[in-house]
Structure formats: C-alpha cells, structure tokens
Amino acid sequence: QVQLVESGGGLVQHGGSLRLSCAVSGLPLDYYAIGWFRQAPGKEREGVSCISTRDGHTGYLDSVKGRFTISKDNSRKTIYLQMTDLKPEDSATYYCAKRRAGGWCRSAPTEDDYHFWGQGTQVTVSS
C-alpha cells in the first residue's frame, strides 16, 4: 500500500525557514516524481515543486524560486522541501503526492497528474 506522510510544518516568523519531509512507503524509490503542493483557506491547491527520483530534475512555482529547494534521500525514501525567506503568503497546508505515471519533472507540478496524497502539514508564517 502506497503511503506518503508529511511532517515538519509549524509556525515561523516572516523571513524564517522550515524544512518539510515527505516519507514514502509501499513502493521502491526508483523512478517516479514526487510533488509538493499547498492549499490556503479559500484558495485552490497549487503545485509548489517536484523532483524526479531517478535523475533529480526539479521544477518550481515561480513565486518560490530561489527560496525553496526540493531534495531527495533515496536511502531514507524521503523527499524534503527546504523553505527559506518565508512570507505570510506561503502560509498553507502543504501536501506531497506521487506523479501518476513516470518520473517527469521540469516545471511546477499539476494537481491532476498526481495521486496518493498525504494528510498534509500546516505551515503558518506570521508577519
């Protein structure tokens, strides 16, 4: 059974940093893509970043480029999202998910292309 579990969210001040983790179980970390998404109250879920587990290619939402970094640890079967210079508009529930088919990742992920969603982790940035 495929399962993705997020952790690492919390409350941080404007300009602060957090590292989110997405632990993957139930499938070998071979060739697929994992995406990070976020959803703020009253807004649609948007793709933040993705990474291909084989070649390490990544994609980012324009508004987080230069501030967020996605990475992977194949031995731990975990995907990380390092977030720096956080802004109040980054506040949201963050989710990770697996790409439905293949491991392509060159731009910000699209929700319809992903499944096996985690339960989410809350990130709140105070102004």
Side-chain angles (χ1 to χ4, degrees), residues 16-92:
S17 300
L18 281 175
R19 189 178 78 159
L20 306 183
S21 299
C22 173
V24 181
S25 62
L27 49 76
L29 202 67
D30 188 14
Y31 180 52
Y32 48 84
I34 297 293
W36 281 100
F37 297 78
R38 67 187 181 187
Q39 186 169 23
K43 295 187 177 181
E44 294 187 352
R45 187 152 53 185
E46 64 178 353
V48 176
S49 182
C50 60
I51 187 167
S52 173
T53 59
R54 175 179 289 179
D55 55 27
H57 283 129
T58 59
Y60 294 93
L61 181 68
D62 283 347
S63 63
V64 307
K65 286 180 180 177
R67 300 189 298 122
F68 291 11
T69 303
I70 192 169
S71 61
K72 61 183 176 70
D73 184 333
N74 287 359
S75 65
R76 294 179 182 271
K77 296 186 179 181
T78 301
I79 306 298
Y80 301 101
L81 185 68
Q82 178 68 49
M83 306 185 296
T84 62
D85 189 22
L86 283 161
K87 305 174 181 182
E89 52 264 41
D90 295 318
S91 297

Side-chain angles (χ1 to χ4, degrees), residues 1 11 13 26-27 32 42 47 68 75 78 84 88 92 98 112 119 122 126:
Q1 179 179 347
L11 174 64
Q13 290 187 335
L27 49 76
Y32 48 84
F68 291 11
S75 65
T78 301
T84 62
K98 175 190 169 296
D112 289 346
Q119 83 290 347
Q122 180 68 40
S126 62

Side-chain angles (χ1 to χ4, degrees), residues 89-104:
E89 52 264 41
D90 295 318
S91 297
T93 300
Y94 283 70
Y95 302 88
C96 61
K98 175 190 169 296
R99 188 177 177 89
R100 292 181 184 274
W104 187 91

Side-chain angles (χ1 to χ4, degrees), residues 103-116:
W104 187 91
C105 170
R106 297 289 189 280
S107 61
T110 301
E111 182 178 359
D112 289 346
D113 292 336
Y114 285 74
H115 62 169
F116 295 130

